[in-house]
Amino acid sequence: MNANVAGLTARNCETVSRTLSFIAANRFERPTLVVDAEAVAAKYQALARGLGRARIHYAVKANPAAAILERLVQEGSNFDAASRTEIELCLAAGAAASRITFGNTIKRPSDIAFAHSIGITHFAADAREELDKLAAHAPGARICLRLIVEASEADWPLSRKFGCTPEKALKLMDYAAARGLLVEGLSFHVGSQTREPQMWQSTLQQVAQVWRQAHEAGHKLNLLNIGGGFPASYGSDMMPAEDYARAVMTQVGAHFGDVAEIMAEPGRGLVAEAGAIAAEVLLVSRKHDDDLHRWAYLDIGMFSGLAETMGEAIRYRITTDRDHETTGPCILAGPSCDSADVLYERKPYQLPLGLKGGDRVVIHSCGAYTSTYASVGFNGFPPLDVIVI
Ligand SMILES: *Cc1c(COP(=O)(O)O)cnc(C)c1O
């Protein structure tokens, strides 16, 4: 284990060490994500303790590796899927249809029909046209209307693309009911990687107001879906998952009282810290001889798993076998022939001056949103390899 890892808290260290030992003991032909299923299970249990009566529906898109889904089935998790393929992955892992929700607000009609045919009853929507599709292909479906939330403080906000305004949601409740759909409740997403529980406050306030207005309008809502947003540690110390979840639920209780049913859809918070990527430096160069900055090109980039470096939003912790050596500023880029494939340039990384082609780098907390974001073969680079241990 290298010096940087020793700097982490004992708690984080425990959860990453199996992954790091596995990486240290093996050579890989190409960039490889190693995920520790034990760490995922431990995180699931921590979140479950903190979330109390809220049901967990794992957001499958974060990492759909079969071994992870199977482990989560064993732990008692439910699942939130976004397409027929994700639903089929959950079924193949042993999840019953009753434990799967279809939470994407943008669904293909044939996917809705498929979900309905196998017994999935819970769907999300934020538009009339989507409700029409649901009424046609999943008659009698249970619906959560997704609200758009303002002023997300998340590192990876999801706010603008999804949801509708409170006024619109209230209209859609009538529209859905008139089409024989069961409006069960409201959903929202506070924004991915919402670092502090207090950042939920204003969102919960906005949603609670709509909840009250819905009741006043005669809609008996009984399901609150608080979505994802549970953060992972990317190097800095974070509140333990259980405490974070408990702090969120305390606020939910204050705003919503005794709602009949609550569900949460963690993705990143459940799997990110359980994985690390073993990658390699392909080239280190300077644009001119006295350039202060070096460019280090890795064998993994924006199109092969590290899409969340876009806008330098997620800053992964990166370690090398030379971390005891003197460091200097380094721009990091991927291997593809696309100039957008630069990972970190505005805020360069401090990396060892001796870094060179062939050196291994380990990219930490990579269990979420990496394998699913890898392209199928841009420039002939293969998708990210995944090993679940
Ligand atoms: C992606 C997604 C999630 C998971 O979000 P995280 O921030 O990774 O926890 C949850 N719910 C929905 C509807 C999503 O699209």
mmCIF file of all heavy atoms in Angstrom, residues 58-61 63-66 69 79-95 100-104 106-115 118 120 372:
data_model
loop_
_atom_site.group_PDB
_atom_site.id
_atom_site.type_symbol
_atom_site.label_atom_id
_atom_site.label_comp_id
_atom_site.label_asym_id
_atom_site.label_seq_id
_atom_site.Cartn_x
_atom_site.Cartn_y
_atom_site.Cartn_z
ATOM 1 N N TYR A 58 -31.430 0.322 -5.760
ATOM 2 C CA TYR A 58 -30.126 0.648 -6.340
ATOM 3 C C TYR A 58 -30.300 1.164 -7.778
ATOM 4 O O TYR A 58 -30.973 0.521 -8.598
ATOM 5 C CB TYR A 58 -29.244 -0.608 -6.328
ATOM 6 C CG TYR A 58 -27.940 -0.476 -7.091
ATOM 7 C CD1 TYR A 58 -27.061 0.569 -6.824
ATOM 8 C CD2 TYR A 58 -27.593 -1.403 -8.080
ATOM 9 C CE1 TYR A 58 -25.872 0.693 -7.526
ATOM 10 C CE2 TYR A 58 -26.402 -1.292 -8.778
ATOM 11 C CZ TYR A 58 -25.544 -0.237 -8.496
ATOM 12 O OH TYR A 58 -24.374 -0.118 -9.192
ATOM 13 N N ALA A 59 -29.714 2.318 -8.082
ATOM 14 C CA ALA A 59 -29.756 2.874 -9.441
ATOM 15 C C ALA A 59 -28.761 2.094 -10.307
ATOM 16 O O ALA A 59 -27.556 2.328 -10.266
ATOM 17 C CB ALA A 59 -29.396 4.359 -9.419
ATOM 18 N N VAL A 60 -29.303 1.170 -11.085
ATOM 19 C CA VAL A 60 -28.496 0.186 -11.803
ATOM 20 C C VAL A 60 -27.452 0.820 -12.717
ATOM 21 O O VAL A 60 -26.364 0.276 -12.906
ATOM 22 C CB VAL A 60 -29.428 -0.767 -12.602
ATOM 23 C CG1 VAL A 60 -28.638 -1.729 -13.463
ATOM 24 C CG2 VAL A 60 -30.328 -1.530 -11.641
ATOM 25 N N LYS A 61 -27.758 1.987 -13.274
ATOM 26 C CA LYS A 61 -26.825 2.588 -14.236
ATOM 27 C C LYS A 61 -25.456 2.874 -13.632
ATOM 28 O O LYS A 61 -24.467 2.962 -14.349
ATOM 29 C CB LYS A 61 -27.412 3.869 -14.836
ATOM 30 C CG LYS A 61 -27.437 5.081 -13.909
ATOM 31 C CD LYS A 61 -27.912 6.302 -14.696
ATOM 32 C CE LYS A 61 -27.865 7.612 -13.939
ATOM 33 N NZ LYS A 61 -28.848 7.708 -12.840
ATOM 34 N N ASN A 63 -23.532 1.019 -11.868
ATOM 35 C CA ASN A 63 -22.648 -0.115 -12.198
ATOM 36 C C ASN A 63 -23.479 -1.387 -12.282
ATOM 37 O O ASN A 63 -23.873 -1.930 -11.261
ATOM 38 C CB ASN A 63 -21.538 -0.279 -11.156
ATOM 39 C CG ASN A 63 -20.463 -1.245 -11.641
ATOM 40 O OD1 ASN A 63 -20.759 -2.215 -12.345
ATOM 41 N ND2 ASN A 63 -19.223 -0.986 -11.283
ATOM 42 N N PRO A 64 -23.747 -1.851 -13.504
ATOM 43 C CA PRO A 64 -24.640 -2.998 -13.672
ATOM 44 C C PRO A 64 -23.919 -4.349 -13.726
ATOM 45 O O PRO A 64 -24.488 -5.325 -14.213
ATOM 46 C CB PRO A 64 -25.306 -2.693 -15.019
ATOM 47 C CG PRO A 64 -24.264 -1.927 -15.774
ATOM 48 C CD PRO A 64 -23.363 -1.245 -14.789
ATOM 49 N N ALA A 65 -22.708 -4.443 -13.227
ATOM 50 C CA ALA A 65 -21.982 -5.727 -13.260
ATOM 51 C C ALA A 65 -22.823 -6.803 -12.569
ATOM 52 O O ALA A 65 -23.356 -6.581 -11.477
ATOM 53 C CB ALA A 65 -20.628 -5.582 -12.571
ATOM 54 N N ALA A 66 -22.918 -7.969 -13.216
ATOM 55 C CA ALA A 66 -23.791 -9.034 -12.714
ATOM 56 C C ALA A 66 -23.483 -9.389 -11.260
ATOM 57 O O ALA A 66 -24.393 -9.540 -10.437
ATOM 58 C CB ALA A 66 -23.669 -10.270 -13.601
ATOM 59 N N LEU A 69 -24.977 -6.827 -8.899
ATOM 60 C CA LEU A 69 -26.436 -6.950 -8.782
ATOM 61 C C LEU A 69 -26.800 -8.191 -7.963
ATOM 62 O O LEU A 69 -27.682 -8.138 -7.102
ATOM 63 C CB LEU A 69 -27.078 -7.012 -10.172
ATOM 64 C CG LEU A 69 -26.861 -5.782 -11.073
ATOM 65 C CD1 LEU A 69 -27.576 -5.963 -12.410
ATOM 66 C CD2 LEU A 69 -27.342 -4.507 -10.390
ATOM 67 N N PHE A 79 -34.329 -2.438 -6.893
ATOM 68 C CA PHE A 79 -33.570 -1.874 -8.008
ATOM 69 C C PHE A 79 -34.380 -0.835 -8.765
ATOM 70 O O PHE A 79 -35.584 -0.988 -8.927
ATOM 71 C CB PHE A 79 -33.144 -2.998 -8.961
ATOM 72 C CG PHE A 79 -32.248 -3.995 -8.276
ATOM 73 C CD1 PHE A 79 -32.790 -5.062 -7.585
ATOM 74 C CD2 PHE A 79 -30.878 -3.817 -8.261
ATOM 75 C CE1 PHE A 79 -31.984 -5.957 -6.892
ATOM 76 C CE2 PHE A 79 -30.054 -4.699 -7.575
ATOM 77 C CZ PHE A 79 -30.607 -5.776 -6.892
ATOM 78 N N ASP A 80 -33.690 0.197 -9.239
ATOM 79 C CA ASP A 80 -34.322 1.145 -10.148
ATOM 80 C C ASP A 80 -33.640 1.023 -11.497
ATOM 81 O O ASP A 80 -32.432 1.238 -11.618
ATOM 82 C CB ASP A 80 -34.233 2.583 -9.632
ATOM 83 C CG ASP A 80 -35.008 3.521 -10.547
ATOM 84 O OD1 ASP A 80 -36.237 3.324 -10.670
ATOM 85 O OD2 ASP A 80 -34.405 4.410 -11.163
ATOM 86 N N ALA A 81 -34.429 0.677 -12.512
ATOM 87 C CA ALA A 81 -33.890 0.451 -13.850
ATOM 88 C C ALA A 81 -34.355 1.553 -14.795
ATOM 89 O O ALA A 81 -35.371 2.210 -14.548
ATOM 90 C CB ALA A 81 -34.349 -0.908 -14.356
ATOM 91 N N ALA A 82 -33.609 1.737 -15.890
ATOM 92 C CA ALA A 82 -33.910 2.817 -16.823
ATOM 93 C C ALA A 82 -34.263 2.320 -18.217
ATOM 94 O O ALA A 82 -34.567 3.121 -19.097
ATOM 95 C CB ALA A 82 -32.720 3.771 -16.895
ATOM 96 N N SER A 83 -34.216 1.014 -18.430
ATOM 97 C CA SER A 83 -34.475 0.475 -19.766
ATOM 98 C C SER A 83 -34.785 -1.014 -19.641
ATOM 99 O O SER A 83 -34.562 -1.619 -18.585
ATOM 100 C CB SER A 83 -33.234 0.632 -20.646
ATOM 101 O OG SER A 83 -32.183 -0.161 -20.109
ATOM 102 N N ARG A 84 -35.242 -1.599 -20.753
ATOM 103 C CA ARG A 84 -35.501 -3.042 -20.763
ATOM 104 C C ARG A 84 -34.230 -3.822 -20.413
ATOM 105 O O ARG A 84 -34.259 -4.784 -19.653
ATOM 106 C CB ARG A 84 -36.016 -3.460 -22.146
ATOM 107 C CG ARG A 84 -36.156 -4.952 -22.254
ATOM 108 C CD ARG A 84 -36.800 -5.382 -23.556
ATOM 109 N NE ARG A 84 -36.889 -6.844 -23.578
ATOM 110 C CZ ARG A 84 -37.812 -7.532 -24.224
ATOM 111 N NH1 ARG A 84 -38.713 -6.903 -24.929
ATOM 112 N NH2 ARG A 84 -37.824 -8.856 -24.187
ATOM 113 N N THR A 85 -33.112 -3.381 -20.981
ATOM 114 C CA THR A 85 -31.861 -4.109 -20.732
ATOM 115 C C THR A 85 -31.495 -4.096 -19.247
ATOM 116 O O THR A 85 -31.111 -5.132 -18.690
ATOM 117 C CB THR A 85 -30.716 -3.512 -21.574
ATOM 118 O OG1 THR A 85 -31.121 -3.570 -22.944
ATOM 119 C CG2 THR A 85 -29.433 -4.273 -21.389
ATOM 120 N N GLU A 86 -31.639 -2.948 -18.605
ATOM 121 C CA GLU A 86 -31.328 -2.912 -17.165
ATOM 122 C C GLU A 86 -32.298 -3.785 -16.372
ATOM 123 O O GLU A 86 -31.903 -4.449 -15.403
ATOM 124 C CB GLU A 86 -31.358 -1.472 -16.636
ATOM 125 C CG GLU A 86 -30.094 -0.692 -16.964
ATOM 126 C CD GLU A 86 -29.983 0.647 -16.232
ATOM 127 O OE1 GLU A 86 -30.918 1.027 -15.487
ATOM 128 O OE2 GLU A 86 -28.955 1.320 -16.414
ATOM 129 N N ILE A 87 -33.570 -3.794 -16.790
ATOM 130 C CA ILE A 87 -34.547 -4.660 -16.110
ATOM 131 C C ILE A 87 -34.108 -6.113 -16.257
ATOM 132 O O ILE A 87 -34.105 -6.884 -15.281
ATOM 133 C CB ILE A 87 -35.961 -4.457 -16.707
ATOM 134 C CG1 ILE A 87 -36.488 -3.071 -16.366
ATOM 135 C CG2 ILE A 87 -36.919 -5.548 -16.197
ATOM 136 C CD1 ILE A 87 -37.738 -2.661 -17.144
ATOM 137 N N GLU A 88 -33.695 -6.490 -17.470
ATOM 138 C CA GLU A 88 -33.292 -7.877 -17.713
ATOM 139 C C GLU A 88 -32.045 -8.241 -16.900
ATOM 140 O O GLU A 88 -31.925 -9.379 -16.423
ATOM 141 C CB GLU A 88 -33.079 -8.105 -19.210
ATOM 142 C CG GLU A 88 -34.416 -8.158 -19.950
ATOM 143 C CD GLU A 88 -34.283 -8.206 -21.475
ATOM 144 O OE1 GLU A 88 -33.265 -7.724 -22.012
ATOM 145 O OE2 GLU A 88 -35.217 -8.714 -22.121
ATOM 146 N N LEU A 89 -31.155 -7.291 -16.723
ATOM 147 C CA LEU A 89 -29.971 -7.556 -15.893
ATOM 148 C C LEU A 89 -30.387 -7.848 -14.443
ATOM 149 O O LEU A 89 -29.842 -8.744 -13.801
ATOM 150 C CB LEU A 89 -29.013 -6.367 -15.929
ATOM 151 C CG LEU A 89 -28.259 -6.126 -17.247
ATOM 152 C CD1 LEU A 89 -27.506 -4.793 -17.204
ATOM 153 C CD2 LEU A 89 -27.291 -7.270 -17.531
ATOM 154 N N CYS A 90 -31.353 -7.083 -13.954
ATOM 155 C CA CYS A 90 -31.834 -7.291 -12.579
ATOM 156 C C CYS A 90 -32.495 -8.660 -12.451
ATOM 157 O O CYS A 90 -32.256 -9.389 -11.478
ATOM 158 C CB CYS A 90 -32.838 -6.212 -12.175
ATOM 159 S SG CYS A 90 -32.122 -4.569 -12.064
ATOM 160 N N LEU A 91 -33.336 -9.008 -13.429
ATOM 161 C CA LEU A 91 -34.011 -10.311 -13.388
ATOM 162 C C LEU A 91 -32.978 -11.429 -13.419
ATOM 163 O O LEU A 91 -33.062 -12.393 -12.647
ATOM 164 C CB LEU A 91 -34.966 -10.460 -14.581
ATOM 165 C CG LEU A 91 -36.164 -9.496 -14.643
ATOM 166 C CD1 LEU A 91 -36.906 -9.664 -15.970
ATOM 167 C CD2 LEU A 91 -37.119 -9.718 -13.469
ATOM 168 N N ALA A 92 -31.978 -11.286 -14.290
ATOM 169 C CA ALA A 92 -30.947 -12.326 -14.420
ATOM 170 C C ALA A 92 -30.168 -12.478 -13.117
ATOM 171 O O ALA A 92 -29.674 -13.563 -12.801
ATOM 172 C CB ALA A 92 -30.002 -11.988 -15.569
ATOM 173 N N ALA A 93 -30.069 -11.377 -12.348
ATOM 174 C CA ALA A 93 -29.343 -11.439 -11.075
ATOM 175 C C ALA A 93 -30.213 -12.036 -9.968
ATOM 176 O O ALA A 93 -29.752 -12.203 -8.840
ATOM 177 C CB ALA A 93 -28.863 -10.046 -10.679
ATOM 178 N N GLY A 94 -31.485 -12.313 -10.284
ATOM 179 C CA GLY A 94 -32.355 -12.959 -9.300
ATOM 180 C C GLY A 94 -33.360 -12.037 -8.634
ATOM 181 O O GLY A 94 -34.043 -12.442 -7.695
ATOM 182 N N ALA A 95 -33.458 -10.786 -9.100
ATOM 183 C CA ALA A 95 -34.425 -9.864 -8.491
ATOM 184 C C ALA A 95 -35.826 -10.155 -9.026
ATOM 185 O O ALA A 95 -36.002 -10.322 -10.237
ATOM 186 C CB ALA A 95 -34.038 -8.415 -8.797
ATOM 187 N N ILE A 100 -38.394 -4.285 -8.664
ATOM 188 C CA ILE A 100 -37.799 -3.404 -9.671
ATOM 189 C C ILE A 100 -38.763 -2.265 -9.997
ATOM 190 O O ILE A 100 -39.958 -2.494 -10.215
ATOM 191 C CB ILE A 100 -37.491 -4.201 -10.963
ATOM 192 C CG1 ILE A 100 -36.602 -5.409 -10.652
ATOM 193 C CG2 ILE A 100 -36.832 -3.289 -12.003
ATOM 194 C CD1 ILE A 100 -36.447 -6.382 -11.811
ATOM 195 N N THR A 101 -38.240 -1.035 -10.026
ATOM 196 C CA THR A 101 -39.027 0.110 -10.490
ATOM 197 C C THR A 101 -38.419 0.619 -11.796
ATOM 198 O O THR A 101 -37.234 0.386 -12.068
ATOM 199 C CB THR A 101 -39.039 1.243 -9.448
ATOM 200 O OG1 THR A 101 -37.680 1.524 -9.055
ATOM 201 C CG2 THR A 101 -39.826 0.841 -8.215
ATOM 202 N N PHE A 102 -39.244 1.266 -12.595
ATOM 203 C CA PHE A 102 -38.796 1.793 -13.893
ATOM 204 C C PHE A 102 -38.786 3.316 -13.761
ATOM 205 O O PHE A 102 -39.785 3.975 -14.005
ATOM 206 C CB PHE A 102 -39.762 1.317 -14.982
ATOM 207 C CG PHE A 102 -39.202 1.350 -16.387
ATOM 208 C CD1 PHE A 102 -39.816 0.618 -17.399
ATOM 209 C CD2 PHE A 102 -38.083 2.103 -16.711
ATOM 210 C CE1 PHE A 102 -39.323 0.623 -18.706
ATOM 211 C CE2 PHE A 102 -37.574 2.122 -18.005
ATOM 212 C CZ PHE A 102 -38.198 1.391 -19.002
ATOM 213 N N GLY A 103 -37.646 3.856 -13.345
ATOM 214 C CA GLY A 103 -37.597 5.246 -12.922
ATOM 215 C C GLY A 103 -37.196 6.264 -13.964
ATOM 216 O O GLY A 103 -37.211 7.464 -13.700
ATOM 217 N N ASN A 104 -36.832 5.806 -15.159
ATOM 218 C CA ASN A 104 -36.480 6.751 -16.210
ATOM 219 C C ASN A 104 -37.752 7.477 -16.662
ATOM 220 O O ASN A 104 -38.773 6.840 -16.897
ATOM 221 C CB ASN A 104 -35.856 5.970 -17.383
ATOM 222 C CG ASN A 104 -35.186 6.874 -18.395
ATOM 223 O OD1 ASN A 104 -35.381 8.087 -18.367
ATOM 224 N ND2 ASN A 104 -34.408 6.295 -19.282
ATOM 225 N N ILE A 106 -38.017 8.940 -19.457
ATOM 226 C CA ILE A 106 -37.992 8.954 -20.928
ATOM 227 C C ILE A 106 -37.929 7.497 -21.396
ATOM 228 O O ILE A 106 -36.840 6.932 -21.522
ATOM 229 C CB ILE A 106 -36.760 9.741 -21.433
ATOM 230 C CG1 ILE A 106 -36.724 11.124 -20.787
ATOM 231 C CG2 ILE A 106 -36.765 9.842 -22.963
ATOM 232 C CD1 ILE A 106 -35.331 11.677 -20.579
ATOM 233 N N LYS A 107 -39.098 6.902 -21.600
ATOM 234 C CA LYS A 107 -39.129 5.460 -21.860
ATOM 235 C C LYS A 107 -39.608 5.131 -23.265
ATOM 236 O O LYS A 107 -40.469 5.806 -23.815
ATOM 237 C CB LYS A 107 -40.057 4.779 -20.828
ATOM 238 C CG LYS A 107 -39.527 4.833 -19.407
ATOM 239 C CD LYS A 107 -40.493 4.265 -18.378
ATOM 240 C CE LYS A 107 -41.638 5.189 -18.064
ATOM 241 N NZ LYS A 107 -41.255 6.486 -17.495
ATOM 242 N N ARG A 108 -39.076 4.059 -23.802
ATOM 243 C CA ARG A 108 -39.532 3.534 -25.085
ATOM 244 C C ARG A 108 -40.839 2.766 -24.836
ATOM 245 O O ARG A 108 -40.896 1.973 -23.878
ATOM 246 C CB ARG A 108 -38.443 2.589 -25.613
ATOM 247 C CG ARG A 108 -38.630 2.060 -26.993
ATOM 248 C CD ARG A 108 -37.461 1.165 -27.374
ATOM 249 N NE ARG A 108 -36.238 1.915 -27.655
ATOM 250 C CZ ARG A 108 -36.016 2.599 -28.789
ATOM 251 N NH1 ARG A 108 -36.917 2.605 -29.746
ATOM 252 N NH2 ARG A 108 -34.883 3.239 -28.962
ATOM 253 N N PRO A 109 -41.868 3.005 -25.656
ATOM 254 C CA PRO A 109 -43.144 2.311 -25.415
ATOM 255 C C PRO A 109 -42.990 0.793 -25.299
ATOM 256 O O PRO A 109 -43.599 0.167 -24.413
ATOM 257 C CB PRO A 109 -43.980 2.696 -26.640
ATOM 258 C CG PRO A 109 -43.447 4.024 -27.051
ATOM 259 C CD PRO A 109 -41.968 3.979 -26.752
ATOM 260 N N SER A 110 -42.160 0.187 -26.151
ATOM 261 C CA SER A 110 -42.024 -1.279 -26.076
ATOM 262 C C SER A 110 -41.344 -1.709 -24.773
ATOM 263 O O SER A 110 -41.599 -2.804 -24.266
ATOM 264 C CB SER A 110 -41.253 -1.807 -27.289
ATOM 265 O OG SER A 110 -39.979 -1.202 -27.359
ATOM 266 N N ASP A 111 -40.510 -0.855 -24.216
ATOM 267 C CA ASP A 111 -39.892 -1.162 -22.917
ATOM 268 C C ASP A 111 -40.943 -1.108 -21.805
ATOM 269 O O ASP A 111 -40.927 -1.914 -20.871
ATOM 270 C CB ASP A 111 -38.760 -0.173 -22.588
ATOM 271 C CG ASP A 111 -37.471 -0.477 -23.346
ATOM 272 O OD1 ASP A 111 -37.516 -1.319 -24.279
ATOM 273 O OD2 ASP A 111 -36.434 0.132 -23.029
ATOM 274 N N ILE A 112 -41.858 -0.123 -21.910
ATOM 275 C CA ILE A 112 -42.944 -0.025 -20.914
ATOM 276 C C ILE A 112 -43.802 -1.284 -20.987
ATOM 277 O O ILE A 112 -44.117 -1.896 -19.953
ATOM 278 C CB ILE A 112 -43.829 1.222 -21.183
ATOM 279 C CG1 ILE A 112 -43.008 2.510 -21.025
ATOM 280 C CG2 ILE A 112 -45.049 1.228 -20.245
ATOM 281 C CD1 ILE A 112 -43.751 3.784 -21.418
ATOM 282 N N ALA A 113 -44.147 -1.697 -22.217
ATOM 283 C CA ALA A 113 -44.989 -2.886 -22.391
ATOM 284 C C ALA A 113 -44.288 -4.115 -21.823
ATOM 285 O O ALA A 113 -44.915 -4.951 -21.157
ATOM 286 C CB ALA A 113 -45.314 -3.077 -23.874
ATOM 287 N N PHE A 114 -42.990 -4.216 -22.061
ATOM 288 C CA PHE A 114 -42.232 -5.347 -21.530
ATOM 289 C C PHE A 114 -42.281 -5.349 -20.000
ATOM 290 O O PHE A 114 -42.582 -6.363 -19.365
ATOM 291 C CB PHE A 114 -40.776 -5.288 -22.009
ATOM 292 C CG PHE A 114 -39.881 -6.256 -21.291
ATOM 293 C CD1 PHE A 114 -39.921 -7.615 -21.592
ATOM 294 C CD2 PHE A 114 -39.015 -5.818 -20.285
ATOM 295 C CE1 PHE A 114 -39.114 -8.517 -20.898
ATOM 296 C CE2 PHE A 114 -38.216 -6.716 -19.592
ATOM 297 C CZ PHE A 114 -38.262 -8.068 -19.903
ATOM 298 N N ALA A 115 -41.991 -4.183 -19.410
ATOM 299 C CA ALA A 115 -41.981 -4.078 -17.941
ATOM 300 C C ALA A 115 -43.335 -4.485 -17.373
ATOM 301 O O ALA A 115 -43.431 -5.265 -16.420
ATOM 302 C CB ALA A 115 -41.627 -2.650 -17.531
ATOM 303 N N ILE A 118 -44.079 -8.276 -17.406
ATOM 304 C CA ILE A 118 -43.420 -9.154 -16.420
ATOM 305 C C ILE A 118 -43.804 -8.795 -14.978
ATOM 306 O O ILE A 118 -43.300 -9.389 -14.034
ATOM 307 C CB ILE A 118 -41.882 -9.136 -16.567
ATOM 308 C CG1 ILE A 118 -41.342 -7.734 -16.315
ATOM 309 C CG2 ILE A 118 -41.460 -9.664 -17.935
ATOM 310 C CD1 ILE A 118 -39.917 -7.725 -15.830
ATOM 311 N N ILE A 120 -43.844 -5.471 -13.515
ATOM 312 C CA ILE A 120 -43.360 -4.222 -12.891
ATOM 313 C C ILE A 120 -44.528 -3.242 -12.867
ATOM 314 O O ILE A 120 -45.207 -3.057 -13.881
ATOM 315 C CB ILE A 120 -42.155 -3.647 -13.670
ATOM 316 C CG1 ILE A 120 -40.957 -4.575 -13.470
ATOM 317 C CG2 ILE A 120 -41.836 -2.220 -13.213
ATOM 318 C CD1 ILE A 120 -39.718 -4.169 -14.220
ATOM 319 N N THR A 372 -20.019 1.928 -17.363
ATOM 320 C CA THR A 372 -21.185 2.236 -18.198
ATOM 321 C C THR A 372 -20.924 3.408 -19.134
ATOM 322 O O THR A 372 -21.621 3.573 -20.126
ATOM 323 C CB THR A 372 -22.408 2.582 -17.323
ATOM 324 O OG1 THR A 372 -21.984 3.363 -16.211
ATOM 325 C CG2 THR A 372 -23.081 1.332 -16.822
#
